[in-house]
């Protein structure tokens, strides 16, 4: 599998803008596509609850979700790996019959050397295995995505103002 | 003074006033604080009087945020010379240790300070923050609970504890914290809404029934609150799948009507989503 092409630039761009829009907060989003990740839908920048998650998944019912991305403020000794919340979402997705479920973890501090990590939920739906991923992504490549795109709408924003479109079709 | 007018202050009194306002309003503007503070400390020291030490403290914290070690060094040394091992200076020493990753040394300072003065709320909070930074979540929870036994009215601390529980998907405990917050802010729509979401997330019929009431309360407080409308809709759907009743059916219809009205003019179509 060509992991560098597994996630489309559009999806990386949206997830990077989402992270940059909410510095100092945990952000979560969905990865959509078929066999590859074609797009990303920003979900939350506040602590997600079951109530908000269910609404988000209801709205995304027209999309084929194949994973999630997240960027969390972690403790000094914590590894860059999926959170309990994202793990539960992935397991629910797996139980609904998804063939493969992926998680893209993004560092909250873009000065780190390994800024992203891609994980795949195993077939039993219990553990994640780290996938090889394009290591060339660094602070510069993510920062480049931000040029011309200071704003992005997530489901949290949409629930505060339904006129805001979480599909973010202005970002190409 | 409006927060937008802080930048480009001319004259030392305006700069000093801007720093005072930023401190009083608890704004986070480290670059500006460093810019004004550095000018005041170097060029206007003799004019500042006792304000000099407040500016030193402001510049110390701003220098940590902006990674300006020369100013960190300058200000902590000045404050040490002037005040010695006072509570504020010791706390700053602890923060400096935290900043350089020397967490054990920082913890030692905080524990020493709390042994001397167990009512030092700011140091309790540093200790809790340090536990969170180092990923010691259980210790953070225990320390917060100990802190809240003394400082029961500290809503920020209840919010912090709720946040830790939420981050770990412990909704029952988070809801318990939010009960305290609701008591202090019974007319705050956002607080009511978050409490309702936590009750819904617990997922028992009893709690979802209660969540339904709080979502309705949130809508009463703010009739534009789409998030609460969705919450009401979800609760009614949850209750409908158990034991149906007329009140719930009416509330479900009400929630749908509110949502359809709220989504008029929205680019997102929801009519096919509402069952």
């Amino acid at each position: 599998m060509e992991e560098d092409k597994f996630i489309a630039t559009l999806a990386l761009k949206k997830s990077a803008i989402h992270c940059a829009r909410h510095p100092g907060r945990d952000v979560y989003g969905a990865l959509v596509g078929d066999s590859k990740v074609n797009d990303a839908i920003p979900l939350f920048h506040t602590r997600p609850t079951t109530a908000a998650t269910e609404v988000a998944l209801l709205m995304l019912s027209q999309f084929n979700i194949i994973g999630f991305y997240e960027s969390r403020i972690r403790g000094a000794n914590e590894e860059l790996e999926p959170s309990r919340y994202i793990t539960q979402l992935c397991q629910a997705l797996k139980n609904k019959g998804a063939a493969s479920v992926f998680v893209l973890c993004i560092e909250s501090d873009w000065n780190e050397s390994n800024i992203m990590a891609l994980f795949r939920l195993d077939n039993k739906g219990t553990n994640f295995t780290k996938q090889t991923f394009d290591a060339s992504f660094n602070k510069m490549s993510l920062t480049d995505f931000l040029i011309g795109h200071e704003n992005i709408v997530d489901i949290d924003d949409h629930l505060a103002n339904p006129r805001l479109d979480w599909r973010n079709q202005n970002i190409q | 003074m409006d927060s937008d007018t802080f930048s480009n202050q001319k004259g030392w009194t305006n700069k000093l006033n801007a720093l005072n306002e930023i401190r009083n309003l608890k704004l986070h503007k480290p670059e500006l604080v460093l810019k004004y503070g550095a000018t005041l400390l170097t060029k206007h020291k003799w004019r500042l009087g006792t304000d000099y030490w407040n500016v030193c403290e402001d510049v110390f914290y701003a220098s940590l945020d902006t990674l300006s070690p020369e100013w960190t060094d300058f200000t902590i040394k000045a404050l040490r010379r002037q005040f010695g091992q006072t509570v504020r200076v010791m706390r700053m020493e602890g923060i400096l240790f935290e900043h350089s990753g020397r967490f054990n040394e920082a913890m030692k300072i905080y524990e020493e300070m709390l042994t001397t003065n167990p009512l030092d709320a700011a140091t309790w909070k540093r200790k809790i923050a340090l536990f969170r930074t180092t990923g010691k979540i259980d210790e953070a929870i225990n320390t917060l609970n100990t802190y809240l036994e003394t400082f029961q009215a500290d809503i920020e601390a209840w919010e912090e504890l709720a946040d830790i529980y939420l981050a770990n998907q412990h909704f029952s405990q988070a809801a318990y914290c939010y009960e305290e917050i609701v008591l202090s802010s019974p007319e705050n729509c956002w607080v009511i809404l978050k409490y309702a979401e936590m009750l819904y997330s617990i997922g028992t019929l009893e709690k979802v029934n209660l969540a339904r009431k709080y979502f309705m309360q949130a809508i009463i407080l703010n009739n534009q609150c789409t998030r609460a409308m969705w919450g009401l809709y979800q609760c009614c759907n949850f209750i409908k799948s158990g034991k149906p009743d007329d009140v719930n059916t009416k509330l479900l219809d009400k929630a749908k009507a509110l949502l359809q009205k709220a989504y008029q003019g929205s680019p997102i179509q929801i009519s096919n989503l509402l069952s």
Side-chain angles (χ1 to χ4, degrees):
Chain A
M1 192 189 293
E2 288 287 319
E3 290 296 349
D4 56 334
K5 293 181 181 173
F6 173 69
I7 302 179
T9 306
L10 178 63
L12 286 172
K13 190 187 255 189
K14 283 189 181 175
S15 51
I17 298 169
H18 192 206
C19 296
R21 172 97 167 81
H22 303 287
R25 283 175 179 265
D26 294 356
V27 301
Y28 305 92
L31 301 172
V32 299
D34 35 59
S35 59
K36 291 180 178 182
V37 179
N38 301 326
D39 199 357
I41 310 279
L43 297 180
F44 305 114
H45 63 270
T46 60
R47 288 268 179 245
T49 57
T50 309
T53 306
E54 283 181 7
V55 172
L57 295 179
L58 181 66
M59 286 193 192
L60 266 65
S61 52
Q62 58 180 304
F63 294 91
N64 188 37
I65 301 173
I66 61 168
F68 298 91
Y69 69 84
E70 68 172 348
S71 175
R72 290 186 299 132
I73 310 299
R74 290 176 292 118
N77 303 321
E78 284 183 83
E79 294 290 324
L80 184 63
E81 59 188 13
S83 62
R84 182 180 294 199
Y85 168 67
I86 287 295
T87 303
Q88 287 174 350
L89 276 183
C90 290
Q91 287 168 340
L93 203 59
K94 191 82 181 168
N95 291 339
K96 284 187 91 178
S100 297
V101 182
F102 295 90
V103 178
L104 178 67
C105 293
I106 307 171
E107 277 286 359
S108 55
D109 181 357
W110 289 5
N111 290 315
E112 296 286 333
S113 51
N114 294 320
I115 210 163
M116 289 181 177
L118 183 67
F119 296 86
R120 182 174 177 271
L121 189 64
D122 65 14
N123 287 333
K124 289 180 184 172
T126 48
N127 292 311
F128 284 98
T129 48
K130 201 168 183 177
Q131 308 288 293
T132 52
F133 189 61
D134 182 8
S136 67
F137 280 105
N138 54 25
K139 185 182 179 181
M140 283 309 291
S141 51
L142 282 191
T143 311
D144 282 349
F145 287 147
L146 307 183
I147 296 168
H149 296 290
E150 289 180 355
N151 207 356
I152 194 164
V153 173
D154 61 16
I155 297 283
D156 268 332
D157 299 320
H158 172 80
L159 292 177
N161 179 1
R163 287 171 191 271
L164 299 176
D165 190 346
W166 44 262
R167 293 170 298 184
N168 297 291
Q169 289 161 328
N170 57 319
I171 300 172
Q172 297 295 327
Chain B
M1 191 185 289
D2 191 283
S3 64
D4 291 336
T5 63
F6 285 135
S7 53
N8 300 319
Q9 290 296 315
K10 303 239 179 341
W12 73 274
T13 46
N14 288 340
K15 286 186 171 69
L16 184 61
N17 288 340
L19 288 186
N20 288 335
E21 285 290 304
I22 289 169
R23 189 185 317 117
N24 293 338
L25 296 172
K26 296 183 177 174
L27 301 176
H28 186 67
K29 294 178 176 291
E31 289 87 4
L32 204 59
V33 169
L34 189 66
K35 184 179 156 193
Y36 289 171
T39 308
L40 289 171
L41 294 179
T42 49
K43 295 182 181 171
H44 304 281
K45 180 181 175 181
W46 60 277
R47 287 177 161 134
L48 294 176
T50 52
D51 279 331
Y52 179 82
W53 307 110
N54 287 332
V55 176
C56 262
E57 192 175 2
D58 291 342
V59 169
F60 170 80
Y61 289 115
S63 70
L64 293 178
D65 283 340
T66 54
L67 301 177
S68 308
E70 68 283 7
W71 280 108
T72 310
D73 197 44
F74 175 86
T75 49
I76 193 77
K77 278 181 180 167
L79 290 163
R80 265 186 215 137
R81 271 198 308 273
Q82 178 68 16
F83 298 106
Q85 293 297 298
T86 56
V87 171
R88 272 159 85 170
V89 174
M90 278 179 79
R91 198 180 302 123
M92 289 161 85
E93 302 272 15
I95 291 168
L96 194 53
F97 277 131
E98 281 186 61
H99 196 258
S100 52
R102 295 162 69 182
F103 300 127
N104 290 337
E105 280 111 318
M107 186 59 79
K108 204 173 161 186
I109 287 183
Y110 298 148
E111 283 180 346
E112 191 184 321
M113 290 173 72
L114 290 173
T115 307
T116 313
N117 180 13
L119 297 178
D120 179 359
T123 303
W124 274 106
K125 289 184 178 182
R126 284 305 336 149
K127 188 175 172 182
I128 292 157
L130 185 50
F131 278 134
R132 286 198 81 174
T133 305
T134 49
K136 295 176 180 170
I137 300 304
D138 290 341
E139 285 92 335
I141 290 171
N142 290 337
T143 312
L144 257 171
N145 278 318
T146 309
Y147 171 82
L148 283 166
E149 281 171 17
T150 310
F151 301 92
Q152 290 169 7
D154 189 337
I155 297 305
E156 272 184 16
W158 284 111
E159 284 175 339
E160 177 84 8
L161 188 55
D163 186 65
I164 296 176
Y165 283 133
L166 271 182
N168 292 283
Q169 304 282 292
H170 296 151
F171 295 114
S172 300
Q173 292 91 332
Y176 176 82
C177 299
Y178 257 81
E179 280 173 22
E180 297 289 335
I181 303 167
V182 167
L183 284 174
S184 76
S185 312
E187 299 205 342
N188 183 325
C189 176
W190 179 250
V191 167
I192 300 286
L193 178 62
K194 294 308 284 182
Y195 180 51
E197 286 194 358
M198 282 166 220
L199 290 170
Y200 179 85
S201 301
I202 294 169
T204 61
L205 185 60
E206 183 196 356
K207 296 294 182 189
V208 174
N209 257 314
L210 194 54
R212 189 179 67 177
K213 289 180 186 173
Y214 278 96
F215 278 125
M216 283 161 52
Q217 177 66 13
I219 294 169
I220 289 167
L221 290 169
N222 175 8
N223 62 10
Q224 305 291 312
C225 185
T226 317
R227 199 170 175 125
M229 294 171 197
W230 276 112
L232 178 61
Y233 170 77
Q234 288 170 289
C235 288
C236 294
N237 258 336
F238 184 100
I239 294 165
K240 186 181 79 174
S241 62
K243 188 181 167 189
D245 65 80
D246 287 347
V247 174
N248 192 60
T249 309
K250 281 180 187 170
L251 286 172
L252 181 59
D253 290 342
K254 179 75 178 169
K256 285 182 193 173
L258 285 170
L259 281 169
Q260 272 159 354
K261 192 179 172 195
Y263 274 78
Q264 280 174 5
S266 167
I268 305 295
Q269 299 299 313
I270 58 155
S271 46
N272 57 333
L273 302 177
L274 302 176
S275 55

